[in-house]
Amino acid sequence: MLSSPGGQPPPHFSGGVPRTPGRTVGELGEFGLIRELTSRITPTPAVRIGPGDDAAVVAAPDRRVVASTDLLVEGRHFRRDWSTAYDVGRKAAAQNLADIAAMGAAPTALLLGLVVPAELPATWPAELMDGLHDECRVAGAAVVGGDVVRGDTITVAITALGDLQGREPVTRTGARPGDVVAVTGWLGWSAAGYAVLARGFRSPRAFVEAHRRPEPPYHAGPAAAELGATAMTDVSDGLVADLGHIAEASKVRIDIRTAALDVPAQMSDIGQAVGVDPLRWVLTGGEDHAIVATFPPDAKLPARWRRVGEVLHPSASPQVTVDGAPWTAGGGWDHFGG
Amino acid sequence: MLSSPGGQPPPHFSGGVPRTPGRTVGELGEFGLIRELTSRITPTPAVRIGPGDDAAVVAAPDRRVVASTDLLVEGRHFRRDWSTAYDVGRKAAAQNLADIAAMGAAPTALLLGLVVPAELPATWPAELMDGLHDECRVAGAAVVGGDVVRGDTITVAITALGDLQGREPVTRTGARPGDVVAVTGWLGWSAAGYAVLARGFRSPRAFVEAHRRPEPPYHAGPAAAELGATAMTDVSDGLVADLGHIAEASKVRIDIRTAALDVPAQMSDIGQAVGVDPLRWVLTGGEDHAIVATFPPDAKLPARWRRVGEVLHPSASPQVTVDGAPWTAGGGWDHFGG
């Protein structure tokens, strides 16, 4: 666990300016790095015991805790020349906190496991922590602990916790024929931003930013649970793939109506420039962490939810169709196939 | 999160025999590997939702959850030629579950983040999971979820959760002058086993086994809390170093009496053979995950607790002394200094 051997927590240091310019992680040492990292976080009321002991203690008023873990490996999930450490932190936190929200829970806490090479500038993990901290703030959570070890490849392991606040968790298994499929948040923006970066460009900025720093609609998860969502997930592998997980778990078919999807003009422009149908980004791009859920047909959905399809009786595969037909342009993301 | 796209959990498969002999992780693919891993775990009553969704849901009857995270990197924390995947799993789980116990909590759940090279035989992560599962069983916990990604270096990121069962957490900050220091579990066995392995030997077996597979006294953490422990930690960095954390956090001095420590005859033999004072293993060896705690002087300690020192008023450093004098043979473990 992240634990500062000094006992008393160091004073909070805000801002991205490194306290130890020019030093590497190896020069700072394990305890120096831990002090640097813990100095950058502030607790929330849910944090009963934060970093500095064998384990953290976090409030779980619902008597159940929601927990999810994810890994990001340099070169595979992020590139230091494309994303700042701060952005990697925001993204790493976001993808885990979105998993919590997609169960209908409110995120409460985040733990960091960090592998860093000794020669890494100490500013990198410090700014990563700032990113984790700030994204936690957006979601209402706090960084409560972690572990740092030395290794050749920067690896960020995040575990997020959340509280159901008395609601039943919304899993992937409850979609029923007749339900509507609705989505809130961004779709395809990160993928379009990636396409831009991969070609060596840095603009349009909104899409590059969306790739660097997703903005999951955290509040929408608990809200969807309150609205009676029958199944829910966050879009991390792409809309077709993630609805495929719901369809398979719920033993139904799901049809997506492309006319209902939002393809912004600027995304179409990028698509034209790089020779990609932008609908592909919207249907198969992950990493925006939109939230997609199925609802009873009479559910009153707020304005920011967009009805994008319907749940049908099961049939032979494919379990997800697009405008009634199989989607053939490929989709989803197999971490071992890429 | 570890999620089998098949919806229904695959039948449990017990035993170490690989289901997919000769295949690599890359050949199995992400979803195949996830299926293989999730097939090897069984839930406990505390598991409300296990692997297969965006997040797990675990009972937290105390309304607080205890959480700790740790990383193991191949080549730094384990070697594949010294430890089987099963042993790495046992050890990775043990070191996290011991952190939970050392807060006075009962371990409930474990999440796995796993980085694996594509060319790794698929049996390796499968047997790792068997090890995690079996160690969780010993501690009363269950594997509830995780994430697997591809990378060059095997990295095992573990997060453990626990329940305080109505007890107040025992931190490192409560030791008071006059308290006794007591320890339960093994001390120095893993370090002696490491010394044996490092010289190319495989015996004495008991010590090699202790290095490969620690046996933390999980029950002793909650028991110590019930017995009125004022401060507690598990011995992961070595007795001197970990008591140093308590001394610093509690603003006291701690003196260890070496006459009270157990140096088994066989450990002395190894020491003689390799030219190391075995007391050094007992005082500075980590990884056995013994539990050390401070108690009021009148505490009635069960037979398996050994009184090994006392808490004194603070003085100039060092904060931990051995038989009243500074310990000079070096101690603890700085992950960036090694």
Side-chain angles (χ1 to χ4, degrees), chain A residues 10-57:
Chain A
H12 180 64
F13 181 80
S14 59
V17 184
R19 212 182 253 176
T20 51
R23 296 186 72 181
T24 66
V25 158
E27 285 161 3
L28 203 56
E30 181 186 8
F31 292 130
L33 178 58
I34 287 170
R35 256 192 298 270
E36 180 70 32
L37 296 182
T38 52
S39 75
R40 288 169 178 264
I41 58 183
T42 47
T44 61
V47 181
R48 302 300 165 80
I49 297 177
D53 223 292
D54 293 302
V57 179

Short mmCIF file of all heavy atoms in Angstrom, two decimals, chain A residues 10-57:
data_model
loop_
_atom_site.label_atom_id
_atom_site.label_comp_id
_atom_site.label_asym_id
_atom_site.label_seq_id
_atom_site.Cartn_x
_atom_site.Cartn_y
_atom_site.Cartn_z
N PRO A 10 1.92 14.78 4.38
CA PRO A 10 2.56 16.02 3.97
C PRO A 10 1.49 17.03 3.57
O PRO A 10 0.37 16.65 3.23
CB PRO A 10 3.41 15.61 2.77
CG PRO A 10 3.34 14.13 2.68
CD PRO A 10 2.14 13.70 3.43
N PRO A 11 1.82 18.32 3.59
CA PRO A 11 0.84 19.33 3.20
C PRO A 11 0.42 19.13 1.74
O PRO A 11 1.22 18.70 0.91
CB PRO A 11 1.61 20.65 3.39
CG PRO A 11 3.05 20.27 3.34
CD PRO A 11 3.13 18.89 3.91
N HIS A 12 -0.82 19.44 1.47
CA HIS A 12 -1.31 19.27 0.10
C HIS A 12 -0.60 20.24 -0.83
O HIS A 12 -0.36 21.39 -0.50
CB HIS A 12 -2.81 19.49 0.05
CG HIS A 12 -3.34 19.32 -1.34
ND1 HIS A 12 -3.27 18.10 -2.01
CD2 HIS A 12 -3.89 20.18 -2.20
CE1 HIS A 12 -3.79 18.26 -3.21
NE2 HIS A 12 -4.17 19.51 -3.36
N PHE A 13 -0.26 19.72 -1.96
CA PHE A 13 0.42 20.52 -2.97
C PHE A 13 -0.43 20.52 -4.22
O PHE A 13 -0.64 19.47 -4.81
CB PHE A 13 1.79 19.92 -3.26
CG PHE A 13 2.58 20.70 -4.27
CD1 PHE A 13 3.25 21.85 -3.91
CD2 PHE A 13 2.62 20.29 -5.58
CE1 PHE A 13 3.98 22.55 -4.84
CE2 PHE A 13 3.35 21.00 -6.51
CZ PHE A 13 4.04 22.15 -6.14
N SER A 14 -0.94 21.67 -4.58
CA SER A 14 -1.79 21.70 -5.76
C SER A 14 -1.02 22.32 -6.92
O SER A 14 -0.06 23.05 -6.72
CB SER A 14 -3.07 22.48 -5.48
OG SER A 14 -2.74 23.78 -5.11
N GLY A 15 -1.47 22.01 -8.12
CA GLY A 15 -0.80 22.55 -9.30
C GLY A 15 0.13 21.53 -9.90
O GLY A 15 0.56 20.59 -9.24
N GLY A 16 0.42 21.69 -11.17
CA GLY A 16 1.17 20.68 -11.88
C GLY A 16 2.68 20.89 -11.80
O GLY A 16 3.44 20.13 -12.37
N VAL A 17 3.13 21.89 -11.07
CA VAL A 17 4.57 22.16 -11.03
C VAL A 17 5.26 21.13 -10.14
O VAL A 17 4.88 20.91 -9.01
CB VAL A 17 4.83 23.58 -10.47
CG1 VAL A 17 6.32 23.90 -10.52
CG2 VAL A 17 4.05 24.60 -11.26
N PRO A 18 6.26 20.47 -10.67
CA PRO A 18 6.91 19.44 -9.88
C PRO A 18 7.66 20.04 -8.70
O PRO A 18 8.26 21.11 -8.81
CB PRO A 18 7.88 18.81 -10.87
CG PRO A 18 8.12 19.88 -11.90
CD PRO A 18 6.85 20.65 -11.99
N ARG A 19 7.63 19.32 -7.58
CA ARG A 19 8.32 19.78 -6.40
C ARG A 19 9.81 19.45 -6.51
O ARG A 19 10.65 20.02 -5.85
CB ARG A 19 7.73 19.01 -5.23
CG ARG A 19 7.73 19.79 -3.97
CD ARG A 19 7.18 18.89 -2.89
NE ARG A 19 5.84 19.29 -2.54
CZ ARG A 19 5.11 18.63 -1.68
NH1 ARG A 19 5.55 17.53 -1.13
NH2 ARG A 19 3.92 19.05 -1.37
N THR A 20 10.11 18.48 -7.35
CA THR A 20 11.47 17.95 -7.42
C THR A 20 11.91 17.95 -8.87
O THR A 20 12.04 16.90 -9.48
CB THR A 20 11.49 16.51 -6.87
OG1 THR A 20 10.45 15.78 -7.53
CG2 THR A 20 11.26 16.51 -5.39
N PRO A 21 12.15 19.15 -9.44
CA PRO A 21 12.44 19.22 -10.88
C PRO A 21 13.70 18.45 -11.23
O PRO A 21 14.69 18.48 -10.48
CB PRO A 21 12.61 20.72 -11.13
CG PRO A 21 12.92 21.30 -9.78
CD PRO A 21 12.22 20.44 -8.78
N GLY A 22 13.64 17.74 -12.35
CA GLY A 22 14.83 17.09 -12.85
C GLY A 22 15.17 15.76 -12.21
O GLY A 22 16.06 15.08 -12.69
N ARG A 23 14.47 15.39 -11.15
CA ARG A 23 14.81 14.13 -10.50
C ARG A 23 14.06 12.97 -11.12
O ARG A 23 12.97 13.12 -11.65
CB ARG A 23 14.46 14.20 -9.01
CG ARG A 23 15.29 15.25 -8.29
CD ARG A 23 15.04 15.20 -6.81
NE ARG A 23 15.65 14.02 -6.20
CZ ARG A 23 15.55 13.72 -4.91
NH1 ARG A 23 14.85 14.48 -4.11
NH2 ARG A 23 16.13 12.65 -4.41
N THR A 24 14.69 11.83 -11.06
CA THR A 24 14.03 10.63 -11.56
C THR A 24 13.38 9.90 -10.39
O THR A 24 13.66 10.16 -9.22
CB THR A 24 15.02 9.66 -12.22
OG1 THR A 24 15.91 9.17 -11.21
CG2 THR A 24 15.81 10.34 -13.33
N VAL A 25 12.52 8.97 -10.75
CA VAL A 25 11.87 8.11 -9.77
C VAL A 25 12.92 7.38 -8.93
O VAL A 25 12.78 7.27 -7.71
CB VAL A 25 10.96 7.12 -10.53
CG1 VAL A 25 10.67 5.90 -9.71
CG2 VAL A 25 9.68 7.82 -10.98
N GLY A 26 13.98 6.90 -9.58
CA GLY A 26 15.02 6.19 -8.85
C GLY A 26 15.75 7.08 -7.86
O GLY A 26 16.06 6.67 -6.75
N GLU A 27 16.00 8.33 -8.27
CA GLU A 27 16.66 9.27 -7.36
C GLU A 27 15.78 9.63 -6.17
O GLU A 27 16.26 9.83 -5.06
CB GLU A 27 17.06 10.54 -8.12
CG GLU A 27 18.28 10.33 -9.03
CD GLU A 27 18.40 11.40 -10.11
OE1 GLU A 27 17.57 12.35 -10.12
OE2 GLU A 27 19.31 11.28 -10.94
N LEU A 28 14.50 9.72 -6.44
CA LEU A 28 13.56 10.08 -5.38
C LEU A 28 13.42 8.93 -4.38
O LEU A 28 13.24 9.15 -3.19
CB LEU A 28 12.20 10.39 -6.01
CG LEU A 28 11.22 11.27 -5.26
CD1 LEU A 28 11.85 12.62 -4.91
CD2 LEU A 28 9.97 11.50 -6.13
N GLY A 29 13.54 7.68 -4.85
CA GLY A 29 13.39 6.52 -3.97
C GLY A 29 11.94 6.20 -3.73
O GLY A 29 11.04 7.01 -3.98
N GLU A 30 11.69 4.99 -3.22
CA GLU A 30 10.32 4.53 -3.04
C GLU A 30 9.55 5.44 -2.09
O GLU A 30 8.44 5.89 -2.39
CB GLU A 30 10.32 3.09 -2.50
CG GLU A 30 8.91 2.55 -2.31
CD GLU A 30 8.89 1.18 -1.63
OE1 GLU A 30 9.95 0.71 -1.17
OE2 GLU A 30 7.81 0.58 -1.57
N PHE A 31 10.14 5.73 -0.93
CA PHE A 31 9.40 6.49 0.07
C PHE A 31 9.24 7.95 -0.35
O PHE A 31 8.21 8.57 -0.09
CB PHE A 31 10.05 6.35 1.44
CG PHE A 31 9.94 4.97 2.00
CD1 PHE A 31 11.05 4.29 2.49
CD2 PHE A 31 8.70 4.32 2.03
CE1 PHE A 31 10.94 3.00 3.00
CE2 PHE A 31 8.58 3.03 2.54
CZ PHE A 31 9.70 2.37 3.03
N GLY A 32 10.27 8.48 -1.05
CA GLY A 32 10.14 9.84 -1.56
C GLY A 32 9.02 9.94 -2.58
O GLY A 32 8.23 10.89 -2.57
N LEU A 33 8.94 8.94 -3.46
CA LEU A 33 7.90 8.94 -4.47
C LEU A 33 6.52 8.82 -3.82
O LEU A 33 5.57 9.52 -4.19
CB LEU A 33 8.12 7.80 -5.47
CG LEU A 33 7.07 7.66 -6.57
CD1 LEU A 33 6.95 8.95 -7.39
CD2 LEU A 33 7.40 6.49 -7.49
N ILE A 34 6.43 7.93 -2.83
CA ILE A 34 5.15 7.76 -2.15
C ILE A 34 4.72 9.06 -1.48
O ILE A 34 3.56 9.46 -1.55
CB ILE A 34 5.24 6.60 -1.14
CG1 ILE A 34 5.28 5.27 -1.90
CG2 ILE A 34 4.06 6.62 -0.16
CD1 ILE A 34 5.61 4.08 -1.02
N ARG A 35 5.68 9.75 -0.85
CA ARG A 35 5.35 11.04 -0.23
C ARG A 35 4.86 12.02 -1.27
O ARG A 35 3.87 12.73 -1.07
CB ARG A 35 6.59 11.61 0.47
CG ARG A 35 6.57 11.47 1.99
CD ARG A 35 7.66 12.31 2.63
NE ARG A 35 8.99 11.90 2.20
CZ ARG A 35 9.71 10.97 2.84
NH1 ARG A 35 9.25 10.38 3.93
NH2 ARG A 35 10.90 10.63 2.39
N GLU A 36 5.56 12.04 -2.41
CA GLU A 36 5.18 12.96 -3.49
C GLU A 36 3.75 12.65 -3.96
O GLU A 36 2.95 13.56 -4.21
CB GLU A 36 6.17 12.80 -4.66
CG GLU A 36 5.91 13.66 -5.86
CD GLU A 36 6.19 15.14 -5.59
OE1 GLU A 36 7.09 15.43 -4.79
OE2 GLU A 36 5.47 15.98 -6.17
N LEU A 37 3.44 11.38 -4.10
CA LEU A 37 2.12 10.99 -4.62
C LEU A 37 1.02 11.27 -3.59
O LEU A 37 -0.02 11.83 -3.93
CB LEU A 37 2.10 9.52 -5.02
CG LEU A 37 3.03 9.13 -6.19
CD1 LEU A 37 2.89 7.66 -6.51
CD2 LEU A 37 2.73 9.97 -7.43
N THR A 38 1.26 10.88 -2.35
CA THR A 38 0.19 11.07 -1.35
C THR A 38 -0.03 12.55 -1.06
O THR A 38 -1.13 12.92 -0.65
CB THR A 38 0.51 10.32 -0.04
OG1 THR A 38 1.82 10.68 0.41
CG2 THR A 38 0.47 8.82 -0.25
N SER A 39 0.98 13.38 -1.31
CA SER A 39 0.80 14.82 -1.05
C SER A 39 -0.18 15.43 -2.03
O SER A 39 -0.65 16.55 -1.83
CB SER A 39 2.14 15.54 -1.16
OG SER A 39 2.53 15.68 -2.52
N ARG A 40 -0.47 14.72 -3.10
CA ARG A 40 -1.28 15.29 -4.17
C ARG A 40 -2.76 14.93 -4.08
O ARG A 40 -3.53 15.25 -4.97
CB ARG A 40 -0.72 14.85 -5.52
CG ARG A 40 0.58 15.57 -5.78
CD ARG A 40 1.34 15.03 -6.95
NE ARG A 40 2.54 15.84 -7.13
CZ ARG A 40 2.63 16.86 -7.98
NH1 ARG A 40 1.65 17.15 -8.78
NH2 ARG A 40 3.74 17.56 -8.04
N ILE A 41 -3.13 14.20 -3.06
CA ILE A 41 -4.53 13.79 -2.98
C ILE A 41 -5.18 14.34 -1.72
O ILE A 41 -4.52 14.56 -0.71
CB ILE A 41 -4.67 12.25 -3.03
CG1 ILE A 41 -3.88 11.59 -1.89
CG2 ILE A 41 -4.18 11.73 -4.37
CD1 ILE A 41 -3.93 10.08 -1.92
N THR A 42 -6.47 14.56 -1.83
CA THR A 42 -7.23 15.02 -0.66
C THR A 42 -8.41 14.07 -0.48
O THR A 42 -8.98 13.59 -1.45
CB THR A 42 -7.74 16.45 -0.87
OG1 THR A 42 -8.33 16.55 -2.16
CG2 THR A 42 -6.63 17.46 -0.74
N PRO A 43 -8.77 13.79 0.76
CA PRO A 43 -9.82 12.82 0.99
C PRO A 43 -11.22 13.41 0.81
O PRO A 43 -11.38 14.63 0.76
CB PRO A 43 -9.60 12.42 2.45
CG PRO A 43 -8.95 13.60 3.08
CD PRO A 43 -8.15 14.28 2.01
N THR A 44 -12.20 12.55 0.70
CA THR A 44 -13.61 12.94 0.76
C THR A 44 -14.16 12.43 2.09
O THR A 44 -13.47 11.65 2.79
CB THR A 44 -14.40 12.29 -0.39
OG1 THR A 44 -14.32 10.87 -0.24
CG2 THR A 44 -13.85 12.68 -1.75
N PRO A 45 -15.38 12.81 2.45
CA PRO A 45 -15.94 12.30 3.71
C PRO A 45 -16.04 10.77 3.76
O PRO A 45 -16.05 10.19 4.85
CB PRO A 45 -17.33 12.94 3.76
CG PRO A 45 -17.21 14.19 2.95
CD PRO A 45 -16.25 13.85 1.84
N ALA A 46 -16.09 10.11 2.60
CA ALA A 46 -16.20 8.65 2.59
C ALA A 46 -14.90 7.96 3.01
O ALA A 46 -14.90 6.78 3.35
CB ALA A 46 -16.62 8.15 1.21
N VAL A 47 -13.79 8.69 2.97
CA VAL A 47 -12.49 8.08 3.28
C VAL A 47 -12.29 8.08 4.80
O VAL A 47 -12.09 9.11 5.41
CB VAL A 47 -11.34 8.85 2.60
CG1 VAL A 47 -10.01 8.18 2.92
CG2 VAL A 47 -11.56 8.92 1.10
N ARG A 48 -12.37 6.91 5.41
CA ARG A 48 -12.17 6.80 6.86
C ARG A 48 -10.69 6.69 7.17
O ARG A 48 -10.20 7.27 8.12
CB ARG A 48 -12.94 5.59 7.41
CG ARG A 48 -14.43 5.65 7.12
CD ARG A 48 -15.08 6.89 7.75
NE ARG A 48 -16.40 7.14 7.21
CZ ARG A 48 -17.51 6.50 7.59
NH1 ARG A 48 -17.45 5.56 8.50
NH2 ARG A 48 -18.67 6.80 7.03
N ILE A 49 -9.96 5.91 6.38
CA ILE A 49 -8.50 5.85 6.49
C ILE A 49 -7.93 5.89 5.08
O ILE A 49 -8.29 5.05 4.25
CB ILE A 49 -8.04 4.58 7.23
CG1 ILE A 49 -8.56 4.59 8.68
CG2 ILE A 49 -6.52 4.47 7.22
CD1 ILE A 49 -8.22 3.36 9.47
N GLY A 50 -7.09 6.86 4.81
CA GLY A 50 -6.51 7.00 3.47
C GLY A 50 -5.15 6.36 3.40
O GLY A 50 -4.84 5.43 4.17
N PRO A 51 -4.29 6.82 2.49
CA PRO A 51 -2.96 6.22 2.34
C PRO A 51 -2.16 6.32 3.63
O PRO A 51 -2.33 7.25 4.40
CB PRO A 51 -2.31 7.08 1.25
CG PRO A 51 -3.44 7.69 0.51
CD PRO A 51 -4.52 7.90 1.53
N GLY A 52 -1.27 5.37 3.87
CA GLY A 52 -0.39 5.46 5.01
C GLY A 52 -0.48 4.30 5.96
O GLY A 52 0.23 4.25 6.95
N ASP A 53 -1.37 3.35 5.68
CA ASP A 53 -1.45 2.20 6.56
C ASP A 53 -1.46 0.92 5.70
O ASP A 53 -1.22 0.99 4.51
CB ASP A 53 -2.71 2.29 7.44
CG ASP A 53 -2.39 1.89 8.88
OD1 ASP A 53 -2.10 0.69 9.09
OD2 ASP A 53 -2.38 2.77 9.75
N ASP A 54 -1.69 -0.23 6.31
CA ASP A 54 -1.69 -1.46 5.53
C ASP A 54 -2.78 -1.45 4.48
O ASP A 54 -2.64 -2.06 3.42
CB ASP A 54 -1.88 -2.66 6.45
CG ASP A 54 -0.70 -2.87 7.36
OD1 ASP A 54 0.41 -3.04 6.83
OD2 ASP A 54 -0.86 -2.84 8.59
N ALA A 55 -3.90 -0.80 4.79
CA ALA A 55 -5.03 -0.78 3.87
C ALA A 55 -5.83 0.48 4.14
O ALA A 55 -5.69 1.11 5.21
CB ALA A 55 -5.90 -2.02 4.07
N ALA A 56 -6.64 0.86 3.18
CA ALA A 56 -7.54 1.99 3.34
C ALA A 56 -8.87 1.50 3.90
O ALA A 56 -9.20 0.31 3.80
CB ALA A 56 -7.75 2.68 1.99
N VAL A 57 -9.61 2.41 4.48
CA VAL A 57 -10.98 2.09 4.93
C VAL A 57 -11.90 3.13 4.32
O VAL A 57 -11.67 4.35 4.46
CB VAL A 57 -11.08 2.09 6.47
CG1 VAL A 57 -12.51 1.77 6.91
CG2 VAL A 57 -10.11 1.08 7.08
#
